[in-house]
Amino acid sequence: SRPKGLDPVEERATLVEPLLGQKKAEEESTPSSPEDTHGWFSKVFFSWMSPMLALGSKKPLEFEDLMHVSKRNTSARQQELFRQKWQEHVEGARRRGKKPSLFSVLLSIHGHVLVVSYVLKLFQVFVVYARPIILQDLLMYLDNGKMPGWLAWMLPEAWARAILPATGYILALVLALSTLVQSLLQQNFLYRSQQAAVRTVSSLMSAIFSKSLKLDVKAKTQFESGQI
């Protein structure tokens, strides 16, 4: 029922303010994602996911058990970034007399994530090709007792002579560590590249949805969904 003694403006404020206040309170009370609060070590080894994985080993996970999405990956954040970058790019393109480029805008937003992910992939490829070489050097050491040239080059001559009897253990340790490093590089590459893909899709979907809201009914009947 309509409150008595209120004009339409006051009535509208009465109806809207509680909803906005509730929304703001919910945003402030929303817990942060562990990915945002943990340090670099946790991010490299993905240990911030350990509580959820431990809980999943005890019982089937429900929606309340899932972690909150990182604020950097939310659709609202990506929509705002895309809107700002697109406006800046359009204004710059107009001053230069060129057409706006969607690819350039997406690259300016998500390019740094792709660069980091493919640098990790490059190191991962190096480790993949280094493992057979290390294994070959280990077998050759067991056969003739000589230290590999690359290991002797890295160490002072006195150190090389001192650790020559333990060269086999060193090569075996390096071979085991290379497997760990390869796995970490591979998983971080996949996570960051997929993260960039999800952010790009979220940006484009938000932009397309915002554009569709600005079209009137007559314009929507003239174009198909794909054209919009």
Side-chain angles (χ1 to χ4, degrees):
S1 62
R2 180 174 176 175
K4 297 182 179 179
L6 294 178
D7 58 27
V9 177
E10 293 177 343
E11 179 183 359
R12 181 176 180 275
T14 304
L15 295 175
V16 172
E17 285 179 356
L19 295 177
L20 295 177
Q22 181 180 2
K23 181 179 180 181
K24 184 177 180 181
E26 290 177 354
E27 292 178 352
E28 294 177 351
S29 62
T30 301
S32 301
S33 170
E35 184 182 3
D36 296 331
T37 57
H38 284 58
W40 65 269
F41 182 86
S42 178
K43 294 179 180 179
V44 170
F45 288 89
F46 299 99
S47 60
W48 54 273
M49 298 181 62
S50 298
M52 186 178 67
L53 297 177
L55 182 62
S57 63
K58 300 177 182 178
K59 71 180 186 76
L61 293 177
E62 299 178 357
F63 180 78
E64 293 76 11
D65 302 325
L66 301 180
M67 296 179 177
H68 291 272
V69 178
S70 173
K71 295 181 180 179
R72 295 173 297 176
N73 296 330
T74 57
S75 58
R77 171 66 174 168
Q78 297 306 314
Q79 180 184 10
E80 182 64 20
L81 281 175
F82 181 82
R83 186 186 63 81
Q84 294 177 357
K85 292 292 184 180
W86 179 255
Q87 290 180 353
E88 296 174 359
H89 181 74
V90 169
E91 293 175 358
R94 287 176 179 175
R95 289 193 299 265
R96 295 188 299 267
K98 298 181 179 180
K99 294 182 178 180
S101 174
L102 178 62
F103 177 77
S104 299
V105 175
L106 293 176
L107 190 62
S108 65
I109 300 175
H110 311 293
H112 65 284
V113 180
L114 291 175
V115 169
V116 172
S117 62
Y118 281 100
V119 168
L120 295 174
K121 182 62 177 180
L122 182 62
F123 281 108
Q124 190 255 338
V125 172
F126 288 157
V127 174
V128 168
Y129 282 101
R131 289 184 61 206
I133 298 175
I134 299 173
L135 180 59
Q136 182 183 10
D137 292 338
L138 177 59
L139 297 176
M140 292 180 63
Y141 171 79
L142 296 176
D143 184 45
N144 53 33
K146 293 183 179 180
M147 180 179 292
W150 60 269
L151 184 58
W153 176 80
M154 293 175 58
L155 300 173
E157 184 177 355
W159 289 18
R161 289 196 302 267
I163 67 173
L164 180 61
T167 301
Y169 295 104
I170 296 175
L171 292 175
L173 179 61
V174 172
L175 187 62
L177 290 177
S178 66
T179 304
L180 175 62
V181 171
Q182 177 189 348
S183 177
L184 287 176
L185 292 173
Q186 176 71 10
Q187 298 306 317
N188 279 275
F189 159 73
L190 291 175
Y191 178 74
R192 282 163 176 76
S193 59
Q194 293 176 3
Q195 190 178 58
V198 170
R199 291 178 179 179
T200 302
V201 172
S202 179
S203 301
L204 294 177
M205 290 181 64
S206 299
I208 294 172
F209 182 71
S210 298
K211 182 179 180 180
S212 65
L213 293 179
K214 298 177 181 179
L215 297 177
D216 55 17
V217 178
K218 182 179 179 181
K220 291 181 180 179
T221 58
Q222 295 176 353
F223 301 98
E224 297 180 357
S225 300
Q227 292 175 322
I228 294 176

